Amino acid sequence: MRSKHSKVVHQVAGKPIIQWVADALCQAGCTEQVYIVGEKQEEIRNILGESVAYVFQEQRLGTGHAVMQAAPFLEGRSGYTVVLPGDSPMVSADTINEALKIASENDDYAAVLITAKAPNPAGYGRIIRNSDGSVAKIVEDRDATDEEKKVDEINSSMYVFKTSLLISALGRLSATNAQHEYYLTDTIEILIGDGYKVGACVCDFEDTCGINTRYQLMQASQIMNRRILRKHMDNGVQIIDANSTWIHAGVEIGMDTIILPGCTIIGNTVIGEDCIIGENTRLDGVQVGNGTTIDSSIASQCSIGDDCRIGPFAHIRPDTVIKDAVTIGA
């Protein structure tokens, strides 16, 4: 990321990457959460608070080693453990719930992989299935045969495990590979070798997108913004140009409000019904009443009442309170 900050605290649509993951887990009912942290852990703690558990991983010895750090929290538990990467903000509660449903409805499954059909699967681990639809193995791209490379179903690095079987498999991981690391994918091979079946839950490819670069951060922001705009349109908001409109996750907008091109609406902004937010307007943490028009203006951390006419080219500064039926021009 070329940043002095932890990757997972960078924001997508106004919310840190790791917060998107945490919220998806909470919405899926996964309230007991353990985060494996390393450098800059204080940034993650500041975001997620102390309602979750943290384990510091002194050495980075692979994905399997990371999950091993959570073993003390898993000992003696029944049920299922969901394992997610912290840099994949697109995962949804629906996807997690579907994977949990598949696991609970198939008692012979030791684990369920969350997979996706990739438009270009190059570089991803491929999911090879048995004739009954269960997973036979995960083949890394570098180890895949020409035939296996034609498979477009990929491993997302998201898993649901039977907790007791995950602990058993973690205890048998080895680092006998070129990188001398413990890979979580090896637990799947161990469980299949033990005679258990492994299932798969196919989700939308966008749900699996992780972030490793600033470019991927931009791509994730575009995907999330499109989802947010669709949600508002489904709720009765008219958005004229989705390509030039940016709305953060925490924004609320009332029915029959019209958002014209070039608008940026961020923070905890709340806009009432029947408003017109004109071209090239930026609202940050603004409370807007019903029937108000704001045209080509900037407003931040302020309150604007009903039936107001703001702009063009007005700057409404923090802590300003504008009552109903007020006109403010240039």
Side-chain angles (χ1 to χ4, degrees):
M1 298 293 284
R2 297 185 66 84
S3 172
K4 56 183 174 291
H5 300 291
S6 168
K7 174 174 64 172
V8 298
V9 306
H10 287 80
Q11 292 200 353
V12 172
K15 190 190 295 187
I17 293 169
I18 194 65
Q19 188 69 64
W20 282 107
V21 178
D23 288 351
L25 285 166
C26 287
Q27 290 163 17
C30 306
T31 53
E32 295 183 84
Q33 300 175 16
V34 182
Y35 290 82
I36 313 306
V37 295
E39 296 177 18
K40 308 186 190 305
Q41 62 169 311
E42 68 284 349
E43 293 187 322
I44 298 168
R45 288 175 178 267
N46 287 339
I47 290 169
L48 298 179
E50 297 305 319
S51 62
V52 300
Y54 302 91
V55 178
F56 183 72
Q57 185 184 19
E58 292 188 15
Q59 293 179 286
R60 296 184 180 182
L61 300 177
T63 51
H65 182 259
V67 179
M68 285 178 190
Q69 311 310 300
F73 292 87
L74 305 178
E75 294 286 353
R77 291 178 182 264
S78 57
Y80 296 93
T81 296
V82 179
V83 181
L84 300 178
D87 61 358
S88 297
M90 314 306 298
V91 65
S92 67
D94 287 345
T95 292
I96 298 169
N97 276 328
E98 183 61 26
L100 284 165
K101 180 182 177 184
I102 292 171
S104 63
E105 290 179 350
N106 295 272
D107 194 55
D108 55 344
Y109 282 174
V112 172
L113 310 180
I114 296 177
T115 69
K117 297 295 184 72
N120 177 13
Y124 289 94
R126 307 300 206 283
I127 303 299
I128 308 302
R129 298 222 191 197
N130 295 310
S131 58
D132 64 357
S134 63
V135 174
K137 59 181 178 178
I138 305 171
V139 180
E140 296 304 322
D141 185 68
R142 63 180 177 273
D143 300 323
T145 64
D146 290 342
E147 194 64 28
E148 289 169 338
K149 286 183 177 181
K150 294 177 183 177
V151 174
D152 64 355
E153 186 178 7
I154 57 96
N155 179 30
S156 71
S157 300
M158 303 180 193
Y159 310 83
V160 173
F161 290 95
K162 279 188 176 177
T163 301
S164 59
L165 297 180
L166 170 61
I167 294 170
S168 171
L170 288 174
R172 288 177 282 162
L173 284 180
S174 68
T176 55
N177 51 63
Q179 285 72 37
H180 302 293
E181 292 186 347
Y182 300 88
Y183 295 132
L184 189 58
T185 49
D186 288 348
T187 61
I188 301 301
E189 183 178 351
I190 290 169
L191 293 172
I192 292 173
D194 287 345
Y196 295 103
K197 287 188 175 183
V198 172
C201 171
V202 182
C203 70
D204 191 301
F205 179 66
E206 286 184 348
D207 274 14
T208 71
C209 292
I211 295 173
N212 288 308
T213 66
R214 296 279 186 172
Y215 183 76
Q216 290 173 338
L217 183 65
M218 178 200 70
Q219 289 178 311
S221 297
Q222 290 174 332
I223 293 169
M224 198 68 78
N225 188 63
R226 189 170 70 244
R227 292 181 180 182
I228 291 169
L229 297 184
R230 178 61 182 268
K231 179 194 73 173
H232 286 297
M233 288 187 274
D234 288 345
N235 290 336
V237 177
Q238 182 65 54
I239 295 172
I240 303 302
D241 181 15
N243 293 323
S244 65
T245 302
W246 290 88
I247 300 179
H248 277 183
V251 171
E252 299 177 24
I253 306 176
M255 186 168 60
D256 293 321
T257 285
I258 300 172
I259 311 295
L260 295 176
C263 289
T264 301
I265 306 173
I266 62 178
N268 58 341
T269 295
V270 178
I271 301 172
E273 297 182 358
D274 302 303
C275 295
I276 299 175
I277 309 301
E279 288 95 341
N280 305 315
T281 291
R282 177 184 173 90
L283 304 179
D284 180 0
V286 182
Q287 306 295 302
V288 182
N290 298 320
T292 286
T293 296
I294 304 176
D295 186 22
S296 299
S297 296
I298 296 174
S300 57
Q301 310 302 320
C302 61
S303 174
I304 301 171
D306 296 343
D307 301 311
C308 292
R309 300 294 177 267
I310 308 297
F313 316 122
H315 183 185
I316 313 302
R317 298 174 187 277
D319 300 323
T320 299
V321 177
I322 298 173
K323 300 288 185 162
D324 297 346
V326 171
T327 297
I328 295 182

